[in-house]
Amino acid sequence: MISFFVCLAILIVGYVVYGAFIERTFKPDDRETPAVAMADGTDYVVMGNGKIFLIQLLNIAGLGPIYGAIAGALWGPSVFLWITFGTIFAGGVHDYLSGMISMRHKGTSISEIVGIYLGPFMKTVMRIFSVVLLVLVGTVFATGPSALLAMLTPETFDAKFWLIVVIAYYFLATLVPIDKLIGKIYPIFGICLIVMALGVASGIVMQGYTIPEITFSNLHPKGQAIWPFMFITVACGAISGFHATQSPLMARCMKSEKDGRKIFYGAMVCEGVIALIWAAAGVAFYQSTGGLAEAITRLGGQGGVVYEICNTLLGPIGAVIAMVGVIACPISSGDTAFRSARLVIADWFKIDQKKIKPRLGVTIPLLVIGALLSQVDITIIWRYFSWSNQTLAMIALWAAAAYLRKNKILPWVAVIPATFMSAVSCTYILMAPEGFKLSAAISYPAGIIFAALCFILFMVKIMNKNYTAEQDTTASI
């Protein structure tokens, strides 16, 4: 149990110390933010910091730090280290820089930022990559809750009925001003997510469950390698490229750049704490990784595990909170996924989103595609999501590193995690069942070589460029 509390303390200290270091490195100032300069009453809307923090947390979290952490706990308490140090040195940096650079560029989407700093080819790749990923996330996070709601309601209200309800909600959340729907209900569900995690942590500690100490042994029941599989499985809660698509939403709502550490880095650390709690609960509640694996199979996935843990530790109230979490959290990720997809397309084709008609012109086709995808088996496609997610994080970090260099700021805070994630993403796709299924003997050195090539390419193409003194590559507002 000592390891758990030490990691918890490191996360908190990491926010205070390393988060402040990242802030000093970036140098936020008093310039007018897009929310003020470009206020349109729809996407560019000034909101309070407390509300923005909770919306950002729910945007980036959803079920990620719960489901991913529970799956990551199959490797044992070694997952604590990835959650802790991944959050501080990779995820927090990724989210902060994604959000802040977006703010410096009129709140633009991550695909456009990548294009500015990594070139037109990468812009095209990221535009397509982002839209496909976001629609996929939105679709899956509609079908899952719909099936669960059907199980909890009379037979008349089947999964198709609830799917229609969820998509109708997505339509409203994607279309209407951000402060009218998302701004009102997200803070409530954000608080529920935090309360659920704190309740589970208190139950585990106070009811005498034993959280094992960190060991570097591979405790996965099937012997699956820690590298790179654990680093892909636990995305939200350590680092997630999906966050780079969400941070621009709040970059369009902040009144001051100086609040960036609280919003972007702070929400990521909060997500890391939630992930740490659920990873600890997974290994402690079922007493072993084998017991956890059996529970995941017996209960039909992580959703059943969440319900059983909450119901046992917290009683009926905990069960209600758990159901709110496993239903509301994925829906909240799905609606902002479609909203982000709308904004990516709007930025791509320069479609003004102030008026309702052009917003409808983008929103309706996206939701129609999502509705069609929900009718087919996308299980195989979804297996690529984890890899796609971390690959997007890798690209976002390289773009952030290029931004720092072009603005005469030492880029190593982004270069190091970008290089690490390059190795993770490449090694995984070479080894994974849905990838090339190569052996570790081939995949490991290939992943390292790929990361080294990315690093060398950055040094040659970006670091060796001569930029004019005091060059500011940020867009004027």
Side-chain angles (χ1 to χ4, degrees):
M1 190 171 292
I2 294 175
S3 297
F4 169 77
F5 284 108
V6 168
C7 288
L8 185 61
I10 291 173
L11 279 169
I12 296 169
V13 173
Y15 168 77
V16 175
V17 178
Y18 198 69
F21 172 72
I22 296 299
E23 184 179 48
R24 288 194 303 272
T25 298
F26 188 84
K27 300 181 180 66
D29 55 37
D30 294 318
R31 73 184 67 193
E32 197 172 44
T33 65
V36 177
M38 303 173 63
D40 62 2
T42 301
D43 298 307
Y44 294 87
V45 180
V46 173
M47 291 192 287
N49 284 341
K51 183 176 287 188
I52 292 177
F53 172 84
L54 289 169
I55 295 172
Q56 173 72 3
L57 175 61
L58 207 58
N59 279 356
I60 67 174
L63 285 177
I66 301 175
Y67 280 25
I70 290 173
L74 290 172
W75 281 275
S78 59
V79 74
F80 296 172
L81 296 175
W82 170 229
I83 291 171
T84 302
F85 294 106
T87 293
I88 295 171
F89 297 108
V93 175
H94 170 276
D95 290 13
Y96 179 80
L97 293 178
S98 296
M100 296 301 290
I101 296 171
S102 175
M103 204 183 309
R104 290 275 174 95
H105 287 277
K106 303 181 182 181
T108 194
S109 305
I110 186 62
S111 55
E112 305 306 301
I113 291 171
V114 168
I116 292 169
Y117 293 103
L118 298 184
F121 173 75
M122 287 305 300
K123 178 192 287 189
T124 301
V125 170
M126 280 295 290
R127 282 170 168 173
I128 298 170
F129 200 80
S130 297
V131 172
V132 170
L133 183 67
L134 289 165
V135 171
L136 182 60
V137 169
T139 302
V140 173
F141 283 168
T143 54
S146 299
L148 188 54
L149 283 165
M151 294 170 57
L152 300 173
T153 54
E155 292 183 6
T156 305
F157 305 111
D158 59 9
K160 289 185 178 180
F161 168 82
W162 285 113
L163 181 62
I164 293 172
V165 172
V166 171
I167 290 178
Y169 164 74
Y170 280 2
F171 176 77
L172 291 174
T174 303
L175 190 68
V176 303
I178 194 166
D179 61 329
K180 301 303 181 186
L181 187 58
I182 289 174
K184 293 186 184 303
I185 65 173
Y186 267 41
I188 297 171
F189 292 130
I191 291 171
C192 286
L193 186 66
I194 295 171
V195 169
M196 181 167 60
L198 293 177
V200 168
S202 299
I204 288 291
V205 173
M206 296 177 67
Q207 295 182 33
Y209 289 90
T210 300
I211 302 175
E213 304 300 338
I214 291 174
T215 173
F216 293 99
S217 301
N218 185 354
L219 302 180
H220 196 285
K222 295 182 179 180
Q224 193 171 55
I226 292 177
W227 175 270
F229 293 98
M230 185 181 75
F231 295 86
I232 291 288
T233 300
V234 184
C236 294
I239 179 173
S240 168
F242 178 69
H243 298 186
T245 69
Q246 300 301 291
S247 292
L249 293 179
M250 293 300 97
R252 302 181 187 213
C253 298
M254 292 169 57
K255 190 175 182 179
S256 172
E257 280 193 357
K258 294 180 180 179
D259 296 322
R261 179 162 70 104
K262 303 172 191 172
I263 305 301
F264 300 121
Y265 201 96
M268 182 62 232
V269 170
C270 186
E271 185 182 33
V273 170
I274 293 170
L276 184 66
I277 289 171
W278 278 102
V283 295
F285 187 83
Y286 295 103
Q287 300 181 352
S288 68
T289 56
L292 175 59
E294 185 277 330
I296 291 174
T297 301
R298 171 172 53 86
L299 298 170
Q302 290 99 313
V305 169
V306 170
Y307 182 83
E308 183 170 70
I309 290 176
C310 287
N311 190 41
T312 302
L313 296 179
L314 306 176
I317 295 178
V320 171
I321 294 175
M323 295 316 297
V324 169
V326 297
I327 293 172
C329 287
I331 291 175
S332 69
S333 291
D335 61 11
T336 51
F338 277 112
R339 190 180 187 97
S340 296
R342 170 173 69 80
L343 295 174
V344 169
I345 292 173
D347 288 345
W348 185 347
F349 295 101
K350 311 300 181 187
I351 304 172
D352 188 0
Q353 296 292 281
K354 291 181 181 179
K355 296 182 179 180
I356 188 71
K357 187 174 180 179
R359 294 208 303 274
L360 282 170
V362 180
T363 300
I364 291 175
L366 283 173
L367 290 175
V368 168
I369 293 171
L372 293 173
L373 285 174
S374 70
Q375 302 304 305
V376 301
D377 183 5
I378 58 174
T379 303
I380 295 176
I381 300 175
W382 182 248
R383 282 175 12 200
Y384 289 93
F385 168 72
S386 295
W387 170 77
S388 302
N389 192 28
Q390 300 301 60
T391 300
L392 195 152
M394 171 195 79
I395 297 171
L397 281 168
W398 282 121
Y403 168 88
L404 295 175
R405 173 65 183 93
K406 288 184 178 182
N407 283 277
K408 301 294 183 179
I409 302 171
L410 289 177
W412 307 116
V413 294
V415 168
I416 294 172
T419 304
F420 180 82
M421 293 310 300
S422 298
V424 169
S425 299
C426 180
T427 306
Y428 179 85
I429 200 62
L430 292 176
M431 291 183 67
E434 63 270 24
F436 293 96
K437 303 179 183 178
L438 299 178
S439 67
I442 297 174
S443 301
Y444 284 2
I448 293 172
I449 291 170
F450 175 76
L453 289 175
C454 289
F455 179 82
I456 292 170
L457 188 62
F458 177 84
M459 296 298 292
V460 172
K461 294 290 187 180
I462 305 296
M463 288 298 290
N464 285 338
K465 278 190 176 181
N466 292 319
Y467 297 103
T468 58
E470 304 300 324
Q471 177 175 351
D472 185 358
T473 57
T474 59
S476 59
I477 295 176

